[in-house]
Amino acid sequence: MPTISDPTRLLAALPTLRLLTEAQARITLVSHLELASLLAGEAKVSFANASSCVSAEAATARDRLGPGEIVVLENTRLHPGETVNEPAFAAALAHGADLYVGDAFGAAHRAHGSTVGAAAAARHAVAGLCMEDELAALLPLVDKPPKPFTAILGGAKVSSKLPLIRALLPRVDTLIVGGGMAYTLLAAQGVPVGNSLVERELLADAASLVDDAAAAGVSLVLPCDAAIAESISAATVGDVVDLAPGAGIPDGAMGLDIGPASLDLFAAALKGSQAVLWNGPMGLFESPPFATGTAGLARLLADLRSDDPSVVTVVGGGDSVAAVAEQNLTSAFSHVSTGGGATLELLQGIELPGVAVLSK
Ligand code: AMP
């Protein structure tokens, strides 16, 4: 059984479950994860065995449900029919349900048995409260973001975020890039980056991205200093260095976090923004000496909204969400997305199959 390191997604499903139990629905909860501890005391809950989510025993347990009772089918992803959206598996999951309630936004970018097949097999399919919340917060950032709109991207690899960056360029006024991915952009501009994460095969793409941002009138803001160390296992910050063509990171050292001047630079760039989207950590945030930049950014965004509550601040992606939660700043954001890949795809303007199936 996987352990639950961050219960955000599970807690997000509770309002819909409460609504359905109060409405005396007979509920089958289909989950990728273990929910027992969270549901204890909520309602009469029974669990079908992981390997038997579409077995005769599971079907019997569902037929015996009383009003307001819940049967949990766990770990559907272990079933071979799940990822290939096998029709017989999907139909067995639906089990003649009157209503499919799609609330797993974080899985909605996958056309699986539990996200799409069962929805199509049920009589009606609607969005749950968490799903509704996600769409209400994220879709305006695609369709008509409040302006000025700033996106802040971080994380290890520029390759995984390139499609998002490209999709954001026509919509944002300012694009701030931090984290490991910034080093590919800095290296493309001739800044020495030592042994920092650089995707060499993307240097040309990175250079054209810088040009495209300028052509689109987007202000691209990169870190101007870095906390460096010899390796990712370093126990302390070795030094803080300027990032500029004449300066930069010496050979043998890695940039593992943004420095204090970068945070000031980002704060200045964020001033006046009416909407801010943040995805991805500013450094190796799992290691305490290199968590300062990510934590500082979380506080910066919390302050931005406390100074002006009309500012929309949206954070998505497991790492940045965890960093916000760690500092108890979740409620200081307009929206904390439960999705990782789903959030990124939606923000790229891609229609999510697990959402499309609900609009019937
Ligand atoms: P991603 O999955 O691409 O969003 O990347 C998240 C990971 O990037 C986290 O595990 C971070 O620790 C890591 N990361 C962020 N910045 C750096 C950096 N400067 N050097 C190495 N790893 C980083």
Side-chain angles (χ1 to χ4, degrees):
M1 196 70 70
T3 54
I4 298 167
S5 52
D6 178 7
T8 310
R9 284 191 185 182
L10 301 184
L11 294 172
L14 289 181
T16 296
L17 272 179
R18 287 204 184 101
L19 190 73
L20 291 171
T21 48
E22 277 160 28
Q24 299 287 285
R26 294 173 165 83
I27 303 160
T28 301
L29 177 60
V30 179
S31 168
H32 287 184
L33 297 157
E34 201 218 330
L35 286 152
S37 53
L38 285 169
L39 286 172
E42 285 283 327
K44 187 172 175 222
V45 186
S46 50
F47 289 81
N49 184 288
S51 60
S52 67
C53 58
V54 291
S55 66
E57 296 80 50
T60 306
R62 297 171 76 179
D63 290 338
R64 287 188 183 146
L65 275 169
E69 292 179 1
I70 305 173
V71 166
V72 181
L73 305 183
E74 289 182 306
N75 288 322
T76 48
R77 65 188 164 158
L78 300 180
H79 197 288
E82 167 68 348
T83 50
V84 297
N85 188 13
E86 187 204 340
F89 172 70
L93 265 188
H95 192 62
D98 294 314
L99 185 64
Y100 173 96
V101 181
D103 219 17
F105 174 74
H109 57 314
R110 303 201 171 104
H112 287 179
S114 63
T115 56
V116 168
R123 245 163 246 122
H124 303 280
V126 297
L129 298 173
C130 168
M131 181 74 84
E132 235 175 40
D133 229 37
E134 292 278 4
L135 298 176
L138 298 174
L139 285 176
L141 295 186
V142 181
D143 299 334
K144 208 176 183 311
K147 299 286 240 166
F149 177 25
T150 300
I152 309 169
L153 300 180
K157 289 190 165 176
V158 78
S159 51
S160 59
K161 306 273 166 77
L162 263 181
L164 177 63
I165 297 178
R166 294 242 168 254
L168 285 173
L169 280 187
R171 281 186 260 142
V172 296
D173 301 283
T174 302
L175 175 63
I176 297 175
V177 178
M181 64 190 272
Y183 295 109
T184 301
L185 294 170
L186 287 161
Q189 292 179 303
V191 177
V193 297
N195 289 353
S196 307
L197 280 182
V198 170
E199 291 174 274
R200 298 261 156 224
E201 67 287 1
L202 284 182
L203 284 174
D205 272 330
S208 74
L209 194 82
V210 173
D211 294 341
D212 293 349
V218 173
S219 154
L220 175 64
V221 182
L222 299 178
C224 60
D225 65 346
I228 64 169
E230 272 174 18
S231 82
I232 57 166
S233 41
T236 54
V237 173
D239 201 357
V240 175
V241 299
D242 285 340
L243 295 172
I249 301 173
D251 287 343
M254 299 178 80
L256 295 174
D257 195 8
I258 57 170
S262 300
L263 210 52
D264 290 344
L265 181 71
F266 294 177
L270 279 162
K271 260 209 165 69
S273 295
Q274 283 305 299
V276 183
L277 166 70
W278 175 26
N279 170 273
M282 295 293 105
L284 188 78
F285 82 110
E286 300 92 336
S287 169
F290 306 103
T292 313
T294 303
L297 180 63
R299 275 194 303 275
L300 206 66
L301 294 179
D303 290 346
L304 196 70
R305 195 167 141 76
S306 73
D307 290 348
D308 179 358
S310 72
V311 176
V312 173
T313 53
V314 174
V315 55
D319 292 331
S320 11
V321 167
V324 166
E326 218 164 78
Q327 292 187 86
N328 291 319
L329 289 174
T330 301
S331 60
F333 282 74
S334 324
H335 183 71
V336 175
S337 180
T338 56
T343 309
L344 297 185
E345 285 194 23
L346 186 131
L347 290 168
Q348 276 168 58
I350 298 171
E351 186 177 50
L352 308 184
V355 173
V357 75
L358 303 179
S359 37
K360 66 180 185 186

